Amino acid sequence: MTDTFDFNGLPAIRLQGPKSSEATVLLHGAHLVSWKPDGRSERIFLSEKSAFEIGQAVRGGIPVCFPQFSDRGPLPAHGFARLMNWQLMEVTQDKDHATATLRLADSAATQKLWPHAFAAELIVSLTENRLDVELEVSNPGDTPFTFTTALHTYLRVDEVEDAQLEGLRGQRYWSKVTGQSQVDTGTAVIVDQEIDRVYFETANALMLKEYGRALGIHSENMPETIVWNPWEQRCKDMADMPDSGFRRMLCVEAGAVETPIELAPQAHWWGRQTLVVLA
Ligand code: TA6
């Protein structure tokens, strides 16, 4: 089993994959905070002003939103999974891939917020040029429960206004900024103001293009894609973001947020987001 190391005061593991690829995952929230496919260029945004404390959300990385997405319910925003310590179950590394599995199960603390027996596992896998993040949820109890969830991925960009997100043309979305639903008619999403959209039924693979870089984004069993950038004012209002942080990030999230997933006793669900370096 891989040793943990101290990452801003929190225990973390470093996964070493093929061809110098590496990823760093905190036990707090099973939160991936870094992915360097070639060992050098960072693809994940992490705020240097983030809190790193149990009970507080990390700003950046890949927050695991569970069992509630955003403020769509009575729980703390994005649920409690990102605020809790997960258990490291297994790390496997060979010449072709590296995988870590972390687990969170119900406890007195979760039962107080959400009275259900559950087990969640986050499986992070690295292969050459590729990162897979899979969330599995099972119901070991004897009553059904429902949940919403997202992998709230903060992609790192050099300059958000120069980035283009392709693959969403013709897709219907709901905008939290305007409160309206509409169909995306642009060839690419270009972010030059606040954006907070839930795109429905996004079966296409997406591509995030920047000067000299391109990233493929794909999800399975997570029908919604959420695209978020707080832009200048909201970013300034966030204590855990540097003022210009919004320029270096774009959240492209895989979610199951519109129709809550219902898990019968002994049932099991999984959803996955895959990132692939194309250039
Ligand atoms: O996924 C988009 C979103 O729900 C936005 O509405 C925005 O608030 C963001 O997540 C960040 O949420 P947080 O609770 O981490 O500040």
Side-chain angles (χ1 to χ4, degrees), residues 122-196:
L122 193 83
I123 300 143
V124 176
S125 298
L126 274 183
T127 55
E128 195 187 335
N129 289 340
R130 174 174 166 155
L131 173 74
D132 286 278
V133 180
E134 181 172 314
L135 178 67
E136 298 185 1
V137 181
S138 54
N139 179 356
D142 47 21
T143 52
F145 61 74
T146 59
F147 65 95
T148 52
T149 182
L151 298 168
H152 196 302
T153 306
Y154 286 71
L155 298 173
R156 189 185 165 97
V157 292
D158 285 336
E159 162 53 58
V160 73
E161 283 194 78
D162 294 337
Q164 304 198 0
L165 182 62
E166 294 183 357
L168 292 167
R169 185 188 173 90
Q171 299 283 156
R172 199 167 61 83
Y173 67 86
W174 175 78
S175 165
K176 196 173 180 178
V177 178
T178 64
Q180 286 175 353
S181 251
Q182 61 193 88
V183 171
D184 198 325
T185 53
T187 44
V189 177
I190 296 172
V191 179
D192 55 7
Q193 57 184 309
E194 183 186 1
I195 184 168
D196 195 347

Side-chain angles (χ1 to χ4, degrees), residues 1-277:
M1 180 74 84
T2 307
D3 289 335
T4 58
F5 69 97
D6 181 283
F7 187 94
N8 291 305
L10 293 173
I13 52 159
R14 180 144 303 139
L15 272 183
Q16 309 278 2
K19 297 259 162 107
S20 310
S21 60
E22 59 173 58
T24 306
V25 184
L26 305 179
L27 273 49
H28 171 51
H31 204 122
L32 184 142
V33 289
S34 168
W35 173 44
K36 295 179 185 167
D38 58 1
R40 282 174 288 115
S41 42
E42 181 60 71
R43 295 283 179 158
I44 299 293
F45 171 84
L46 180 65
S47 168
E48 60 261 33
K49 287 182 75 183
S50 176
F52 290 99
E53 276 171 44
I54 292 295
Q56 291 206 46
V58 170
R59 176 69 63 199
I62 307 187
V64 177
C65 306
F66 173 84
Q68 175 187 296
F69 173 70
S70 186
D71 50 6
R72 298 175 173 213
L75 295 175
H78 291 316
F80 50 73
R82 66 174 177 164
L83 307 175
M84 292 181 163
N85 215 30
W86 291 49
Q87 198 187 345
L88 180 61
M89 302 301 289
E90 191 181 30
V91 176
T92 57
Q93 281 166 316
D94 62 31
K95 69 177 190 9
D96 297 322
H97 74 285
T99 301
T101 304
L102 296 99
R103 184 171 195 272
L104 180 73
D106 61 292
S107 61
T110 69
Q111 287 275 355
K112 224 162 131 186
L113 291 163
W114 195 62
H116 302 291
F118 74 92
E121 283 197 346
L122 193 83
I123 300 143
V124 176
S125 298
L126 274 183
T127 55
E128 195 187 335
N129 289 340
R130 174 174 166 155
L131 173 74
D132 286 278
V133 180
E134 181 172 314
L135 178 67
E136 298 185 1
V137 181
S138 54
N139 179 356
D142 47 21
T143 52
F145 61 74
T146 59
F147 65 95
T148 52
T149 182
L151 298 168
H152 196 302
T153 306
Y154 286 71
L155 298 173
R156 189 185 165 97
V157 292
D158 285 336
E159 162 53 58
V160 73
E161 283 194 78
D162 294 337
Q164 304 198 0
L165 182 62
E166 294 183 357
L168 292 167
R169 185 188 173 90
Q171 299 283 156
R172 199 167 61 83
Y173 67 86
W174 175 78
S175 165
K176 196 173 180 178
V177 178
T178 64
Q180 286 175 353
S181 251
Q182 61 193 88
V183 171
D184 198 325
T185 53
T187 44
V189 177
I190 296 172
V191 179
D192 55 7
Q193 57 184 309
E194 183 186 1
I195 184 168
D196 195 347
R197 296 180 183 170
V198 177
Y199 284 86
F200 308 107
E201 300 296 335
T202 46
N204 291 348
L206 310 177
M207 179 157 62
L208 182 68
K209 275 176 121 170
E210 297 178 82
Y211 292 126
R213 300 210 307 180
L215 193 71
I217 305 160
H218 186 248
S219 55
E220 284 168 85
N221 257 342
M222 295 182 125
E224 282 83 42
T225 298
I226 301 99
V227 181
W228 179 62
N229 182 294
W231 209 247
E232 200 166 356
Q233 192 51 51
R234 273 189 196 279
C235 185
K236 275 206 176 103
D237 294 344
M238 286 185 229
D240 57 0
M241 275 287 265
D243 284 357
S244 61
F246 70 98
R247 296 214 163 269
R248 289 180 285 116
M249 57 146 288
L250 181 63
C251 283
V252 182
E253 310 164 32
V257 308
E258 270 303 297
T259 307
I261 292 153
E262 179 162 343
L263 267 197
Q266 311 311 315
H268 179 83
W269 171 93
W270 64 272
R272 181 189 304 141
Q273 188 184 51
T274 300
L275 306 177
V276 183
V277 175

